Amino acid sequence: MNDFRPIPEVEKHGEFLQKVVDLLFKNIVFTTRQDKVVLWQSPEQLEEQFDFSLKQNGDEHEKLICLLRNTIKFSVKTGHPYFINQLFSGLDPYGLAGQWLTDALNASVYTYEVAPVFTLMEKHVMREVNSMIGPDWGDGLFCPGGSFGNGTAINLARYNKFPDTKAKGTCHLPKLVLFASEECHYSIHKFAAFLGIGEENVIGVKTDDVGQIIPENLERRIQEKFDDGSAPFMVVATLGTTVRGAFDPIEDIADICKKYDLWLHIDAAWGGGLIFSQKHRARLNGIERANSIIINPHKLLAVPQQCSILLVRDKEILHKCYSRGAEYLFQKDKHYDRSYDMGDKYLQCGRKCDVFKFWFMWRAKGSTGFANHIDTLMDLAEYFENQINVRSDFMLVSKRQYMNVCFWYLPRYLRGKTNILEHSGQLQKVAPQIRSVMVKHGSVMLGYQPLKGLPNFFRFVSQNSALTKKDIDFILNHIADIGEELFK
Amino acid sequence: MNDFRPIPEVEKHGEFLQKVVDLLFKNIVFTTRQDKVVLWQSPEQLEEQFDFSLKQNGDEHEKLICLLRNTIKFSVKTGHPYFINQLFSGLDPYGLAGQWLTDALNASVYTYEVAPVFTLMEKHVMREVNSMIGPDWGDGLFCPGGSFGNGTAINLARYNKFPDTKAKGTCHLPKLVLFASEECHYSIHKFAAFLGIGEENVIGVKTDDVGQIIPENLERRIQEKFDDGSAPFMVVATLGTTVRGAFDPIEDIADICKKYDLWLHIDAAWGGGLIFSQKHRARLNGIERANSIIINPHKLLAVPQQCSILLVRDKEILHKCYSRGAEYLFQKDKHYDRSYDMGDKYLQCGRKCDVFKFWFMWRAKGSTGFANHIDTLMDLAEYFENQINVRSDFMLVSKRQYMNVCFWYLPRYLRGKTNILEHSGQLQKVAPQIRSVMVKHGSVMLGYQPLKGLPNFFRFVSQNSALTKKDIDFILNHIADIGEELFK
């Protein structure tokens, strides 16, 4: 019996929600290869076909269901194995169940009393993930995305060197500079600007031909900056760069950070999930020497959007840097130990619960399940790279280090040439044109981009556990078929 | 037919998800007054009663369902009308449906091609909400919470005055200062620290006895800061302060901002939802004179966590301040108009879709539905205040302006005293003790806090549409019963 609302209303809501769930099951959660990844419409077409209007009066349930149906129809199926456009793909049923539960609880995690289960769960997950990094690792935050986590780390690094910035700001300080790979994620620049450091004061470090920071170049840039009176305070290394999936040489970088007393932040948003794989964990060697690390379980581990973890070695600094003790939330006279109120060490106030879906997937699969997922994907990435290497109509951009395989499709007139980069102008147009055809078919969504003067190339990323070698053959043949047709 | 996964696995997942949904319907979505708001356990007790452990191997479905059941059992029912602890309460079935859909699509909103429906929907919702502010209002962002939105606005204000901070940082600038109510939300200080401005450079402006900024004090503080060589750049006004629900006098503040050429940001996270109410919209008069406004539909409008909108009058500044044009996402040679790729003006990269649940609720209820919700709540708040005023065992802290009613429960020995503040030491202990009993009963969760030297008082907030006058009578009598027992 429900005595908050009239029973007919409750029944009506119940029926409606069950219809919604049925619709979701049928049209999103369980897709097939016969489904398109996207039913492409240009913005102008979609404006005509979808009723976005907002009105004075509400719609009936029948109309609402119709709107949901259209939303699904015109949305991209990011769970489809042929969605290879970003650093996430797939839909895990346990992750989804976890997300649906936290939605229904409509939880916000700041104090123990308001989110008791999720507060302790965050502690457990954080402890477990920290212990997978190293024995002296201690604290962390759940962040609304890796960009925000990187920004939070930059601020921690600055606070660590100049603790009075919290109260006094930076106007009394010399010019602060940090160092990052020229292939680092753009969030480093965006947040450097946001934090008052300035984009220009993110000093780009040269990378080698597979995309790794060249340590000698890093050290030279640091010395230059000390010499010109700037105040270096931080190096950002990347484990799994966005485009090439490159892994910066952590041990060398950590040595340099030690020598110059710089905070080492590791952006392992994409690569960090490897902590679960016995077979591939060695690629993260040295990660425990960092001061902070960002890992996005919503990338490699296929946790639903968003789940992003900032790990911090120093157990005290988050509280020191971020706490403010707002008395309407963190009252001093509570009837339980206030140290459980973790919201005070966060920049945010209200905060969505991102821990549960991750914890629940972990329970459903076990650490072994995550490891198997990774190892399978790595095999697929290797298979993809091998196929590129054996075919004359494709060419690798640089040697694969991870799940990313960067490659060109070569029109007939470019095959067998010794230096295809002399034809950059032509090559630049190939990937966008092929992609445009694929997206309009709705067959495959595969990202492309230029990089460091190299013309547009495709980036395949192995990350969806439903993908098979047969799929990879299909995707390559599909690209080749379109290419043959377009570039006769 | 599903050909990605073996059919038995799909069926198994389907059955499991249906079980999860049934569990959520039964135990969270449709609660009754007989349910407790919380089954209180101390952190130590909960550690013993809940299996948080993470293991090598995964659990069976039966065990997983049991874990979900326990998660619900020990979690706070924030949809319960007696959850009055924060600035959100309730669970809207249409909002929940919208959230479940976006979860199933696992969408991330940065480019049109990856989120076509949600991209256009954001444009429509943003245009509609802007038009409710004023005719020349133009742009905006969806933010992961109001704190982040406030921080984004502070940075916009700084960029507006000193555009070269984006590239060069702030080390060449004088000391930047901003002004905000001494009762403003703590995110202003947290983000001032984060942005390199410093907490001390948030200049607190005195408030009057209902909690509104005193304009004369604001102007005096601004002059002082100009005189001492600082660089004032911004005023933050609040419409609906966290504790007292106070509305700062916008017209006066806007005049001062105009006079001194300062950016006016309005934190209407809590009060901004009033734009929907014909009856109460006048409380926002002058809001259109701001440069930026934060409104959290997840507060007053009961949209599920999180939905937070930063509105910006200037149509160009977001792009100028935040864009970076990362080429792996915002390729220049796309097959559609790149201006639809809104991710470039965001600080975040991957971003959860927060627009759909809001849009869908709006479609289900119409603007009229939101208006009715607000007007009902305002009547309840008035009723609550009246009850406090007519009873001798309660006392109002300050006159109500909005949904917040701040009050003391008076033990017998304090009733009828002319100046109860002489007994602050005793009063300080009353609210925490009563609250502790209520939370341990699981009957009512009602927040309390001290403020500006006033001893701990309760804050009732009218925000759950399932609440009735009968409930209010119950809550007050319940507090009184506990108080009588505790303070004989």
Side-chain angles (χ1 to χ4, degrees):
Chain A
M1 200 201 79
N2 181 302
D3 60 354
F4 284 140
R5 295 177 176 82
I7 290 174
E9 195 178 310
V10 169
E11 281 177 358
K12 212 178 131 206
H13 287 161
E15 275 168 30
F16 177 72
L17 279 170
Q18 186 57 57
K19 268 189 201 154
V20 173
V21 168
D22 293 344
L23 190 71
L24 299 182
F25 279 179
K26 199 165 158 225
N27 294 285
I28 313 180
V29 180
F30 300 111
T31 49
T32 78
R33 269 180 190 72
Q34 278 69 54
D35 295 315
K36 282 171 184 271
V37 181
V38 60
L39 179 61
W40 172 259
Q41 303 285 300
S42 71
E44 298 75 19
Q45 289 169 324
L46 189 53
E47 282 284 1
E48 277 183 21
Q49 298 204 39
F50 192 99
D51 173 14
F52 289 102
S53 66
L54 295 161
K55 293 173 293 195
Q56 276 309 113
N57 297 313
D59 289 313
E60 293 300 319
H61 281 183
E62 207 174 321
K63 171 74 180 167
L64 292 173
I65 291 287
C66 182
L67 289 171
L68 294 175
R69 202 182 292 280
N70 270 342
T71 303
I72 297 168
K73 180 177 169 190
F74 293 114
S75 286
V76 173
K77 309 303 176 295
T78 65
H80 198 297
Y82 298 168
F83 177 77
I84 317 171
N85 212 65
Q86 318 295 147
L87 298 181
F88 71 96
S89 175
L91 181 67
D92 185 272
Y94 305 103
L96 182 64
Q99 182 92 62
W100 280 359
L101 178 136
T102 40
D103 290 344
L105 283 170
N106 199 22
S108 187
V109 192
Y110 23 43
T111 63
Y112 174 80
E113 65 202 331
V114 169
V117 179
F118 303 134
T119 298
L120 297 186
M121 201 172 272
E122 285 190 351
K123 275 180 99 91
H124 280 268
V125 169
M126 209 54 94
R127 191 186 304 147
E128 195 71 23
V129 177
N130 267 307
S131 77
M132 293 164 88
I133 300 296
D136 59 338
W137 275 74
D139 204 359
L141 302 174
F142 281 83
C143 297
S147 291
F148 190 85
N150 281 333
T152 306
I154 297 173
N155 186 51
L156 285 173
R158 177 171 67 181
Y159 174 82
N160 181 59
K161 188 140 272 185
F162 306 102
D164 64 349
T165 53
K166 182 180 180 182
K168 299 191 178 304
T170 55
C171 64
H172 59 295
L173 298 179
K175 188 199 277 183
L176 302 179
V177 295
L178 66 149
F179 305 84
S181 161
E182 57 180 332
E183 298 187 36
C184 76
H185 191 257
Y186 71 88
S187 56
I188 304 301
H189 296 84
K190 281 209 171 185
F191 272 86
F194 192 62
L195 294 166
I197 293 165
E199 291 178 337
E200 287 178 6
N201 299 317
V202 179
I203 311 301
V205 181
K206 284 211 184 320
T207 54
D208 61 18
D209 56 2
V210 293
Q212 302 179 335
I213 276 184
I214 302 169
E216 297 71 27
N217 187 263
L218 170 62
E219 184 157 13
R220 191 161 64 243
R221 302 308 308 266
I222 293 171
Q223 284 166 342
E224 280 169 17
K225 285 294 153 189
F226 273 115
D227 291 347
D228 79 6
S230 304
F233 70 102
M234 175 185 212
V235 176
V236 179
T238 312
L239 294 177
T241 58
T242 308
V243 176
R244 293 208 266 189
F247 280 59
D248 287 333
I250 296 302
E251 297 283 10
D252 293 343
I253 295 172
D255 288 343
I256 293 170
C257 287
K258 196 175 170 199
K259 182 170 169 189
Y260 294 95
D261 189 25
L262 304 175
W263 180 282
L264 174 56
H265 172 64
I266 296 186
D267 178 353
W270 172 222
L274 290 180
I275 47 173
F276 280 96
S277 164
Q278 297 278 328
K279 201 168 159 193
H280 300 289
R281 172 63 169 82
R283 285 163 191 257
L284 305 177
N285 279 354
I287 194 171
E288 70 285 356
R289 296 180 64 188
N291 299 93
S292 58
I293 304 167
I294 186 92
I295 298 177
N296 284 4
H298 73 231
K299 290 194 163 81
L300 183 62
L301 304 178
V303 175
Q305 299 280 330
Q306 285 185 315
C307 186
S308 183
I309 297 178
L310 176 68
L311 301 172
V312 183
R313 175 139 49 101
D314 181 332
K315 292 182 180 68
E316 310 292 330
I317 195 169
L318 284 173
H319 260 292
K320 282 192 246 165
C321 181
Y322 291 119
S323 74
R324 186 153 173 92
E327 285 192 319
Y328 78 97
L329 274 177
F330 312 110
Q331 299 93 336
K332 297 197 175 93
D333 34 26
K334 282 191 170 174
H335 59 280
Y336 61 89
D337 177 356
R338 281 202 313 147
S339 71
Y340 284 95
D341 287 350
M342 302 213 268
D344 204 22
K345 71 180 179 193
Y346 276 83
L347 257 166
Q348 297 155 276
C349 178
R351 183 165 58 85
K352 241 186 117 78
C353 168
D354 290 331
V355 68
F356 185 71
K357 56 196 169 191
F358 181 32
W359 178 86
F360 192 61
M361 275 177 72
W362 201 333
R363 288 298 299 234
K365 297 160 172 280
S367 305
T368 311
F370 284 131
N372 292 343
H373 170 74
I374 294 165
D375 297 348
T376 306
L377 296 180
M378 208 64 137
D379 289 347
L380 285 174
E382 193 184 349
Y383 178 78
F384 197 102
E385 185 186 29
N386 289 342
Q387 292 310 103
I388 296 291
N389 280 331
V390 297
R391 292 179 68 143
S392 63
D393 47 354
F394 290 100
M395 188 181 221
L396 214 57
V397 172
S398 54
K399 206 175 147 34
R400 180 186 66 86
Q401 292 181 65
Y402 187 41
M403 305 292 183
N404 310 37
V405 186
C406 295
F407 65 100
W408 287 291
Y409 168 75
L410 300 180
R412 215 166 263 283
Y413 59 88
L414 287 177
R415 290 177 205 159
K417 302 253 187 214
T418 46
N419 190 354
I420 66 143
L421 292 180
E422 285 165 17
H423 307 270
S424 281
Q426 289 157 291
L427 211 47
Q428 177 74 0
K429 293 174 188 149
V430 172
Q433 287 190 40
I434 292 176
R435 178 184 155 87
S436 168
V437 173
M438 291 195 295
V439 170
K440 284 171 185 170
H441 283 174
S443 51
V444 174
M445 283 187 81
L446 177 67
Y448 74 87
Q449 64 286 302
L451 185 81
K452 285 174 75 180
L454 295 171
N456 280 319
F457 54 84
F458 285 116
R459 177 191 65 169
F460 167 83
V461 190
S462 180
Q463 55 189 336
N464 188 315
S465 58
L467 205 74
T468 65
K469 290 183 182 172
K470 233 172 104 185
D471 288 319
I472 290 175
D473 294 338
F474 163 77
I475 291 166
L476 288 174
N477 289 332
H478 186 54
I479 295 171
D481 288 346
I482 296 169
E484 291 287 348
E485 186 65 27
L486 284 175
F487 308 101
K488 274 174 189 161
Chain B
M1 198 201 81
N2 182 302
D3 60 353
F4 284 140
R5 296 178 174 83
I7 292 174
E9 194 177 312
V10 171
E11 282 178 358
K12 212 178 134 206
H13 287 161
E15 276 168 30
F16 177 71
L17 279 170
Q18 186 56 56
K19 268 190 201 153
V20 172
V21 168
D22 293 343
L23 190 72
L24 300 182
F25 280 178
K26 199 167 158 223
N27 294 285
I28 314 179
V29 180
F30 301 111
T31 48
T32 79
R33 271 182 187 69
Q34 279 68 54
D35 294 315
K36 282 172 184 267
V37 182
V38 60
L39 179 62
W40 172 259
Q41 303 285 302
S42 70
E44 298 74 18
Q45 289 168 323
L46 189 53
E47 282 284 1
E48 276 182 20
Q49 298 203 40
F50 192 100
D51 173 13
F52 289 101
S53 66
L54 295 161
K55 294 172 292 195
Q56 276 310 113
N57 296 314
D59 288 313
E60 292 300 320
H61 281 183
E62 207 175 322
K63 172 75 181 166
L64 292 174
I65 291 288
C66 181
L67 289 171
L68 292 175
R69 203 182 292 279
N70 271 342
T71 303
I72 297 168
K73 181 177 169 189
F74 293 114
S75 286
V76 173
K77 308 304 176 295
T78 65
H80 198 296
Y82 298 168
F83 176 77
I84 318 171
N85 212 65
Q86 317 295 145
L87 298 181
F88 71 97
S89 175
L91 181 65
D92 184 272
Y94 304 103
L96 182 63
Q99 183 91 64
W100 280 359
L101 177 136
T102 40
D103 289 345
L105 283 171
N106 198 24
S108 187
V109 192
Y110 22 43
T111 62
Y112 174 78
E113 64 202 332
V114 169
V117 179
F118 303 134
T119 297
L120 296 185
M121 201 173 271
E122 285 189 353
K123 273 179 101 90
H124 280 268
V125 169
M126 208 54 93
R127 192 187 304 149
E128 196 70 24
V129 177
N130 267 306
S131 77
M132 293 164 87
I133 299 297
D136 59 338
W137 275 75
D139 205 0
L141 302 174
F142 282 83
C143 297
S147 291
F148 190 84
N150 281 333
T152 306
I154 298 173
N155 185 52
L156 285 173
R158 177 171 67 182
Y159 174 81
N160 181 61
K161 189 139 274 185
F162 306 102
D164 63 349
T165 52
K166 182 180 180 181
K168 300 192 178 305
T170 56
C171 64
H172 59 298
L173 297 179
K175 190 199 276 185
L176 302 179
V177 295
L178 67 150
F179 304 83
S181 160
E182 57 181 331
E183 299 187 36
C184 76
H185 190 257
Y186 70 88
S187 55
I188 306 299
H189 296 84
K190 280 210 171 184
F191 272 86
F194 191 62
L195 293 167
I197 292 165
E199 289 178 338
E200 287 178 6
N201 299 316
V202 178
I203 311 301
V205 182
K206 283 212 185 318
T207 55
D208 62 17
D209 57 2
V210 293
Q212 303 179 333
I213 275 184
I214 301 169
E216 297 71 26
N217 187 263
L218 171 62
E219 186 158 12
R220 191 161 65 246
R221 302 309 308 265
I222 292 171
Q223 284 166 343
E224 281 169 19
K225 285 296 154 187
F226 273 116
D227 291 348
D228 79 4
S230 303
F233 70 103
M234 177 186 210
V235 175
V236 179
T238 313
L239 293 178
T241 58
T242 309
V243 176
R244 293 208 264 189
F247 281 58
D248 286 333
I250 295 302
E251 297 283 10
D252 293 344
I253 295 171
D255 288 343
I256 294 170
C257 286
K258 197 176 168 197
K259 181 170 169 189
Y260 294 95
D261 190 23
L262 304 175
W263 180 283
L264 174 56
H265 173 64
I266 296 187
D267 179 352
W270 172 221
L274 289 180
I275 47 172
F276 280 95
S277 165
Q278 297 278 329
K279 201 168 160 192
H280 301 289
R281 171 64 170 81
R283 286 164 189 257
L284 305 178
N285 280 354
I287 194 171
E288 70 284 356
R289 296 180 64 189
N291 299 94
S292 58
I293 304 167
I294 186 94
I295 297 178
N296 283 3
H298 73 231
K299 290 195 163 81
L300 183 61
L301 304 179
V303 176
Q305 299 280 333
Q306 282 184 319
C307 186
S308 183
I309 296 179
L310 176 68
L311 301 172
V312 182
R313 175 138 51 98
D314 182 333
K315 292 179 180 69
E316 309 293 329
I317 195 170
L318 285 173
H319 260 292
K320 283 193 245 164
C321 181
Y322 291 120
S323 74
R324 186 154 173 92
E327 285 192 316
Y328 78 97
L329 274 178
F330 312 109
Q331 300 92 337
K332 295 194 177 94
D333 33 27
K334 282 189 172 176
H335 59 282
Y336 61 89
D337 178 355
R338 280 200 317 146
S339 72
Y340 284 95
D341 288 350
M342 301 212 270
D344 202 21
K345 72 180 179 194
Y346 276 82
L347 257 166
Q348 297 156 275
C349 178
R351 183 165 59 85
K352 242 185 118 77
C353 169
D354 290 331
V355 69
F356 186 71
K357 55 196 169 192
F358 181 33
W359 178 86
F360 192 61
M361 277 177 70
W362 201 335
R363 286 299 299 237
K365 295 159 174 278
S367 305
T368 311
F370 283 131
N372 292 343
H373 169 73
I374 293 164
D375 297 348
T376 307
L377 295 180
M378 207 67 135
D379 289 348
L380 284 173
E382 192 184 349
Y383 178 80
F384 197 102
E385 183 185 31
N386 289 342
Q387 291 311 103
I388 295 292
N389 279 332
V390 298
R391 292 181 68 144
S392 64
D393 48 354
F394 290 99
M395 187 180 225
L396 213 58
V397 172
S398 54
K399 205 175 145 36
R400 180 187 68 86
Q401 293 181 67
Y402 188 41
M403 305 294 183
N404 311 38
V405 186
C406 295
F407 65 100
W408 287 290
Y409 168 76
L410 300 180
R412 214 167 266 283
Y413 59 88
L414 287 178
R415 292 178 203 158
K417 301 254 186 216
T418 47
N419 191 355
I420 67 144
L421 293 181
E422 284 167 18
H423 306 270
S424 280
Q426 289 157 291
L427 211 47
Q428 177 73 359
K429 294 176 189 145
V430 172
Q433 286 189 40
I434 293 176
R435 178 184 154 88
S436 168
V437 173
M438 291 195 294
V439 170
K440 285 171 184 168
H441 283 175
S443 51
V444 175
M445 283 188 80
L446 178 67
Y448 76 86
Q449 63 287 300
L451 184 82
K452 286 176 73 179
L454 295 170
N456 279 320
F457 53 85
F458 285 116
R459 177 192 65 169
F460 167 82
V461 189
S462 180
Q463 56 189 336
N464 189 315
S465 57
L467 205 75
T468 64
K469 290 182 181 173
K470 233 172 103 184
D471 288 320
I472 289 175
D473 294 340
F474 163 77
I475 291 166
L476 287 174
N477 289 332
H478 186 53
I479 294 171
D481 288 347
I482 296 169
E484 290 287 349
E485 185 65 28
L486 283 175
F487 307 102
K488 276 176 187 157

